[in-house]
Amino acid sequence: MAARARRAADLPDLDGAISGCFACPRLVAWREEVARTKRAAFRDQEYWGRPVPGLGASDARIAILGLAPAAHGGNRTGRVFTGDRSGDVLFAALHRAGLANQPTSVARDDGLALRATRIFAAVRCAPPDNKPTPDERDTCAPWLHRELELIRPTLRVVVALGAFAWAAWWPALRAVYGVRPPSPRPVFGHGAHWSGTAVPELLGCYHVSQQNTFTGRLTPRMLDEVFTRAKQVAGVD
């Protein structure tokens, strides 16, 4: 699998390779079971049921790194953060920031386009209970690392949605940029900011999960502040 990731010549090539990955037996079994049984509200829809590739510009200056696709969101629609409440919150914020042409993301053919931004996840398959194992995270890492390599010439800032994505950045820092991660690792928190030399800056943001947005732990204003900061760091008007 790592060799397949390295061979990807561009983002479309990488996206296709990701979609055909069967490296993690537990994740493969879960994503396919969800696609067969479906949620009642979507029983008439055909689920994607495969790994979910990234979305957005090949010359992105801003990257948004999430945890993994949702079982009935990205795993259903085939597009990251699409078709679930987390995506509703995220894309509304990106639209307010001028980084998306519309405030919703409901299907792969809905006309959504991102500006100067690419979104992807540390793990590309929907995991049971939304909790990938450390082994699954590490097995999936070559996809993330190759995606970062392909947008490296323009990438200026990474927004990590949650502690899992924050932790996934440090191995990528070494693999993609050849830079030793700081020790001890900077602590994740909403609004956390780390910068190194000749590498993208890293911003922390609470994940856009319902657990955070429904309880008020993450508000629209807090998201707006993070994306305003990301645009400033990236030099995006």
Side-chain angles (χ1 to χ4, degrees), residues 164-204:
F164 189 95
W166 181 268
W169 170 250
W170 308 115
L173 188 65
R174 185 188 297 274
V176 177
Y177 293 91
V179 173
R180 178 180 298 176
S183 181
R185 302 285 192 269
V187 176
F188 170 76
H190 185 82
H193 182 193
W194 175 85
S195 60
T197 302
V199 297
E201 299 190 31
L202 180 67
L203 300 178

Short mmCIF file of all heavy atoms in Angstrom, two decimals, residues 164-204:
data_model
loop_
_atom_site.label_atom_id
_atom_site.label_comp_id
_atom_site.label_asym_id
_atom_site.label_seq_id
_atom_site.Cartn_x
_atom_site.Cartn_y
_atom_site.Cartn_z
N PHE A 164 -6.90 13.83 17.34
CA PHE A 164 -6.41 12.74 16.52
C PHE A 164 -5.68 13.28 15.29
O PHE A 164 -4.59 12.82 14.94
CB PHE A 164 -7.58 11.85 16.10
CG PHE A 164 -7.19 10.57 15.42
CD1 PHE A 164 -7.06 9.40 16.15
CD2 PHE A 164 -6.94 10.53 14.05
CE1 PHE A 164 -6.70 8.20 15.53
CE2 PHE A 164 -6.58 9.34 13.42
CZ PHE A 164 -6.45 8.18 14.17
N ALA A 165 -6.27 14.27 14.63
CA ALA A 165 -5.62 14.88 13.46
C ALA A 165 -4.35 15.61 13.87
O ALA A 165 -3.34 15.57 13.16
CB ALA A 165 -6.60 15.83 12.77
N TRP A 166 -4.39 16.29 15.00
CA TRP A 166 -3.20 16.99 15.52
C TRP A 166 -2.05 16.00 15.70
O TRP A 166 -0.92 16.26 15.28
CB TRP A 166 -3.57 17.66 16.84
CG TRP A 166 -2.51 18.46 17.52
CD1 TRP A 166 -1.64 17.99 18.47
CD2 TRP A 166 -2.24 19.86 17.37
NE1 TRP A 166 -0.82 19.02 18.91
CE2 TRP A 166 -1.17 20.17 18.26
CE3 TRP A 166 -2.78 20.87 16.59
CZ2 TRP A 166 -0.65 21.46 18.39
CZ3 TRP A 166 -2.25 22.16 16.70
CH2 TRP A 166 -1.20 22.45 17.58
N ALA A 167 -2.35 14.83 16.28
CA ALA A 167 -1.31 13.82 16.50
C ALA A 167 -0.82 13.23 15.19
O ALA A 167 0.36 12.84 15.08
CB ALA A 167 -1.85 12.72 17.41
N ALA A 168 -1.69 13.14 14.17
CA ALA A 168 -1.30 12.58 12.88
C ALA A 168 -0.33 13.49 12.12
O ALA A 168 0.36 13.02 11.20
CB ALA A 168 -2.53 12.31 12.04
N TRP A 169 -0.28 14.76 12.48
CA TRP A 169 0.58 15.69 11.76
C TRP A 169 2.07 15.42 12.03
O TRP A 169 2.90 15.56 11.13
CB TRP A 169 0.25 17.13 12.15
CG TRP A 169 1.25 18.13 11.64
CD1 TRP A 169 2.13 18.86 12.37
CD2 TRP A 169 1.51 18.48 10.27
NE1 TRP A 169 2.91 19.65 11.56
CE2 TRP A 169 2.54 19.43 10.26
CE3 TRP A 169 0.95 18.07 9.06
CZ2 TRP A 169 3.04 19.99 9.10
CZ3 TRP A 169 1.44 18.62 7.88
CH2 TRP A 169 2.46 19.57 7.91
N TRP A 170 2.43 15.01 13.22
CA TRP A 170 3.85 14.93 13.57
C TRP A 170 4.60 13.87 12.77
O TRP A 170 5.70 14.15 12.27
CB TRP A 170 4.01 14.73 15.08
CG TRP A 170 3.24 15.76 15.85
CD1 TRP A 170 2.16 15.56 16.67
CD2 TRP A 170 3.43 17.19 15.81
NE1 TRP A 170 1.69 16.75 17.15
CE2 TRP A 170 2.44 17.78 16.64
CE3 TRP A 170 4.33 18.03 15.15
CZ2 TRP A 170 2.35 19.15 16.84
CZ3 TRP A 170 4.23 19.40 15.34
CH2 TRP A 170 3.26 19.95 16.18
N PRO A 171 4.07 12.66 12.57
CA PRO A 171 4.76 11.72 11.67
C PRO A 171 4.84 12.24 10.24
O PRO A 171 5.82 11.99 9.52
CB PRO A 171 3.91 10.45 11.76
CG PRO A 171 3.20 10.55 13.06
CD PRO A 171 2.93 12.01 13.26
N ALA A 172 3.82 12.98 9.81
CA ALA A 172 3.83 13.55 8.46
C ALA A 172 4.93 14.60 8.33
O ALA A 172 5.55 14.73 7.27
CB ALA A 172 2.46 14.17 8.14
N LEU A 173 5.16 15.32 9.40
CA LEU A 173 6.21 16.34 9.38
C LEU A 173 7.57 15.71 9.07
O LEU A 173 8.34 16.22 8.26
CB LEU A 173 6.26 17.04 10.74
CG LEU A 173 7.15 18.26 10.89
CD1 LEU A 173 6.67 19.40 10.00
CD2 LEU A 173 7.19 18.71 12.35
N ARG A 174 7.82 14.56 9.67
CA ARG A 174 9.08 13.87 9.42
C ARG A 174 9.09 13.22 8.03
O ARG A 174 10.06 13.34 7.28
CB ARG A 174 9.32 12.80 10.48
CG ARG A 174 10.66 12.10 10.36
CD ARG A 174 10.76 10.91 11.32
NE ARG A 174 10.69 11.32 12.70
CZ ARG A 174 11.72 11.72 13.43
NH1 ARG A 174 12.92 11.77 12.88
NH2 ARG A 174 11.56 12.05 14.70
N ALA A 175 7.98 12.54 7.66
CA ALA A 175 7.94 11.78 6.41
C ALA A 175 7.97 12.68 5.18
O ALA A 175 8.59 12.34 4.17
CB ALA A 175 6.70 10.89 6.39
N VAL A 176 7.28 13.80 5.24
CA VAL A 176 7.12 14.66 4.06
C VAL A 176 8.20 15.75 4.00
O VAL A 176 8.72 16.05 2.93
CB VAL A 176 5.71 15.30 4.06
CG1 VAL A 176 5.56 16.25 2.87
CG2 VAL A 176 4.64 14.22 4.03
N TYR A 177 8.52 16.32 5.16
CA TYR A 177 9.42 17.48 5.17
C TYR A 177 10.81 17.15 5.71
O TYR A 177 11.70 18.00 5.67
CB TYR A 177 8.80 18.61 6.00
CG TYR A 177 7.56 19.19 5.36
CD1 TYR A 177 6.31 18.67 5.66
CD2 TYR A 177 7.65 20.22 4.43
CE1 TYR A 177 5.16 19.18 5.06
CE2 TYR A 177 6.51 20.74 3.83
CZ TYR A 177 5.27 20.21 4.15
OH TYR A 177 4.14 20.72 3.55
N GLY A 178 10.99 15.93 6.22
CA GLY A 178 12.28 15.57 6.77
C GLY A 178 12.66 16.36 8.00
O GLY A 178 13.85 16.55 8.30
N VAL A 179 11.65 16.82 8.73
CA VAL A 179 11.86 17.64 9.92
C VAL A 179 11.50 16.83 11.16
O VAL A 179 10.44 16.22 11.22
CB VAL A 179 11.01 18.93 9.86
CG1 VAL A 179 11.10 19.71 11.16
CG2 VAL A 179 11.46 19.79 8.68
N ARG A 180 12.37 16.84 12.14
CA ARG A 180 12.11 16.12 13.38
C ARG A 180 11.01 16.85 14.16
O ARG A 180 11.12 18.06 14.40
CB ARG A 180 13.37 16.04 14.23
CG ARG A 180 13.18 15.33 15.57
CD ARG A 180 14.47 15.28 16.35
NE ARG A 180 15.49 14.51 15.64
CZ ARG A 180 16.73 14.38 16.07
NH1 ARG A 180 17.13 14.98 17.19
NH2 ARG A 180 17.60 13.66 15.38
N PRO A 181 9.98 16.15 14.57
CA PRO A 181 8.91 16.80 15.35
C PRO A 181 9.44 17.33 16.66
O PRO A 181 10.41 16.79 17.22
CB PRO A 181 7.90 15.67 15.57
CG PRO A 181 8.18 14.67 14.50
CD PRO A 181 9.66 14.74 14.27
N PRO A 182 8.84 18.38 17.19
CA PRO A 182 9.30 18.92 18.47
C PRO A 182 9.06 17.93 19.60
O PRO A 182 8.15 17.10 19.54
CB PRO A 182 8.43 20.18 18.64
CG PRO A 182 7.21 19.93 17.80
CD PRO A 182 7.68 19.10 16.64
N SER A 183 9.90 18.01 20.61
CA SER A 183 9.77 17.15 21.78
C SER A 183 9.93 18.02 23.03
O SER A 183 10.94 18.72 23.18
CB SER A 183 10.83 16.05 21.76
OG SER A 183 10.69 15.20 22.87
N PRO A 184 8.93 17.99 23.90
CA PRO A 184 7.67 17.25 23.79
C PRO A 184 6.76 17.85 22.73
O PRO A 184 6.95 19.00 22.33
CB PRO A 184 7.06 17.41 25.19
CG PRO A 184 7.59 18.73 25.66
CD PRO A 184 9.00 18.81 25.13
N ARG A 185 5.79 17.06 22.28
CA ARG A 185 4.85 17.54 21.28
C ARG A 185 4.00 18.69 21.84
O ARG A 185 3.58 18.64 23.00
CB ARG A 185 3.90 16.43 20.84
CG ARG A 185 4.60 15.20 20.28
CD ARG A 185 5.11 15.45 18.87
NE ARG A 185 5.53 14.20 18.25
CZ ARG A 185 6.74 13.69 18.30
NH1 ARG A 185 7.69 14.33 18.97
NH2 ARG A 185 7.02 12.54 17.72
N PRO A 186 3.73 19.71 21.04
CA PRO A 186 2.81 20.75 21.48
C PRO A 186 1.43 20.15 21.80
O PRO A 186 0.96 19.25 21.11
CB PRO A 186 2.73 21.69 20.27
CG PRO A 186 4.01 21.44 19.54
CD PRO A 186 4.31 19.99 19.72
N VAL A 187 0.82 20.65 22.84
CA VAL A 187 -0.48 20.12 23.30
C VAL A 187 -1.59 20.65 22.41
O VAL A 187 -1.64 21.84 22.08
CB VAL A 187 -0.72 20.51 24.76
CG1 VAL A 187 -2.11 20.04 25.22
CG2 VAL A 187 0.35 19.91 25.65
N PHE A 188 -2.50 19.74 22.01
CA PHE A 188 -3.65 20.16 21.21
C PHE A 188 -4.62 20.99 22.05
O PHE A 188 -4.84 20.71 23.23
CB PHE A 188 -4.40 18.95 20.65
CG PHE A 188 -5.72 19.33 20.02
CD1 PHE A 188 -5.75 19.92 18.77
CD2 PHE A 188 -6.93 19.14 20.69
CE1 PHE A 188 -6.96 20.31 18.19
CE2 PHE A 188 -8.13 19.51 20.12
CZ PHE A 188 -8.14 20.09 18.87
N GLY A 189 -5.23 21.94 21.41
CA GLY A 189 -6.30 22.72 22.00
C GLY A 189 -6.92 23.60 20.93
O GLY A 189 -6.30 23.84 19.88
N HIS A 190 -8.11 24.05 21.16
CA HIS A 190 -8.72 24.95 20.17
C HIS A 190 -7.94 26.26 20.14
O HIS A 190 -7.73 26.90 21.18
CB HIS A 190 -10.18 25.21 20.50
CG HIS A 190 -10.85 26.02 19.43
ND1 HIS A 190 -11.34 25.44 18.27
CD2 HIS A 190 -11.08 27.35 19.32
CE1 HIS A 190 -11.85 26.40 17.50
NE2 HIS A 190 -11.70 27.55 18.11
N GLY A 191 -7.50 26.65 18.95
CA GLY A 191 -6.70 27.85 18.79
C GLY A 191 -5.22 27.63 18.99
O GLY A 191 -4.44 28.58 18.86
N ALA A 192 -4.80 26.39 19.29
CA ALA A 192 -3.36 26.11 19.41
C ALA A 192 -2.66 26.41 18.09
O ALA A 192 -3.24 26.23 17.01
CB ALA A 192 -3.14 24.66 19.80
N HIS A 193 -1.43 26.88 18.18
CA HIS A 193 -0.69 27.31 16.99
C HIS A 193 0.76 26.89 17.13
O HIS A 193 1.41 27.21 18.12
CB HIS A 193 -0.81 28.83 16.84
CG HIS A 193 -0.13 29.37 15.62
ND1 HIS A 193 0.11 30.71 15.44
CD2 HIS A 193 0.37 28.76 14.51
CE1 HIS A 193 0.73 30.90 14.28
NE2 HIS A 193 0.89 29.73 13.71
N TRP A 194 1.23 26.12 16.15
CA TRP A 194 2.64 25.73 16.13
C TRP A 194 3.23 26.13 14.80
O TRP A 194 2.60 26.00 13.75
CB TRP A 194 2.79 24.21 16.31
CG TRP A 194 4.21 23.75 16.18
CD1 TRP A 194 5.16 23.74 17.15
CD2 TRP A 194 4.85 23.28 14.98
NE1 TRP A 194 6.36 23.28 16.64
CE2 TRP A 194 6.19 22.98 15.32
CE3 TRP A 194 4.41 23.07 13.67
CZ2 TRP A 194 7.09 22.49 14.38
CZ3 TRP A 194 5.31 22.59 12.74
CH2 TRP A 194 6.64 22.30 13.09
N SER A 195 4.46 26.63 14.82
CA SER A 195 5.17 26.96 13.58
C SER A 195 6.60 26.47 13.68
O SER A 195 7.22 26.51 14.75
CB SER A 195 5.14 28.47 13.31
OG SER A 195 5.76 29.17 14.37
N GLY A 196 7.11 25.98 12.55
CA GLY A 196 8.48 25.54 12.45
C GLY A 196 9.19 26.29 11.33
O GLY A 196 8.70 27.32 10.85
N THR A 197 10.29 25.75 10.89
CA THR A 197 11.08 26.38 9.84
C THR A 197 10.85 25.67 8.51
O THR A 197 11.05 24.45 8.43
CB THR A 197 12.58 26.35 10.18
OG1 THR A 197 12.78 27.02 11.44
CG2 THR A 197 13.40 27.06 9.11
N ALA A 198 10.42 26.40 7.49
CA ALA A 198 10.24 25.86 6.14
C ALA A 198 9.21 24.73 6.09
O ALA A 198 9.33 23.82 5.27
CB ALA A 198 11.58 25.40 5.56
N VAL A 199 8.22 24.78 6.96
CA VAL A 199 7.13 23.81 6.97
C VAL A 199 5.82 24.56 7.19
O VAL A 199 5.82 25.69 7.68
CB VAL A 199 7.30 22.75 8.07
CG1 VAL A 199 8.57 21.92 7.83
CG2 VAL A 199 7.32 23.38 9.45
N PRO A 200 4.68 23.97 6.83
CA PRO A 200 3.40 24.65 7.09
C PRO A 200 3.19 24.87 8.58
O PRO A 200 3.62 24.07 9.42
CB PRO A 200 2.36 23.67 6.53
CG PRO A 200 3.10 22.81 5.58
CD PRO A 200 4.49 22.69 6.14
N GLU A 201 2.52 25.95 8.91
CA GLU A 201 2.11 26.18 10.29
C GLU A 201 0.91 25.29 10.60
O GLU A 201 0.18 24.86 9.69
CB GLU A 201 1.80 27.65 10.50
CG GLU A 201 3.02 28.54 10.24
CD GLU A 201 2.83 29.98 10.67
OE1 GLU A 201 2.08 30.24 11.63
OE2 GLU A 201 3.42 30.86 10.01
N LEU A 202 0.72 25.02 11.87
CA LEU A 202 -0.34 24.11 12.32
C LEU A 202 -1.26 24.84 13.28
O LEU A 202 -0.80 25.44 14.26
CB LEU A 202 0.28 22.89 13.01
CG LEU A 202 -0.68 21.84 13.55
CD1 LEU A 202 -1.41 21.13 12.41
CD2 LEU A 202 0.08 20.81 14.41
N LEU A 203 -2.57 24.78 12.98
CA LEU A 203 -3.59 25.38 13.84
C LEU A 203 -4.49 24.28 14.39
O LEU A 203 -4.90 23.39 13.64
CB LEU A 203 -4.43 26.39 13.07
CG LEU A 203 -3.71 27.58 12.46
CD1 LEU A 203 -4.72 28.46 11.70
CD2 LEU A 203 -3.01 28.40 13.53
N GLY A 204 -4.82 24.34 15.65
CA GLY A 204 -5.74 23.39 16.26
C GLY A 204 -7.16 23.94 16.29
O GLY A 204 -7.37 25.13 16.53
#
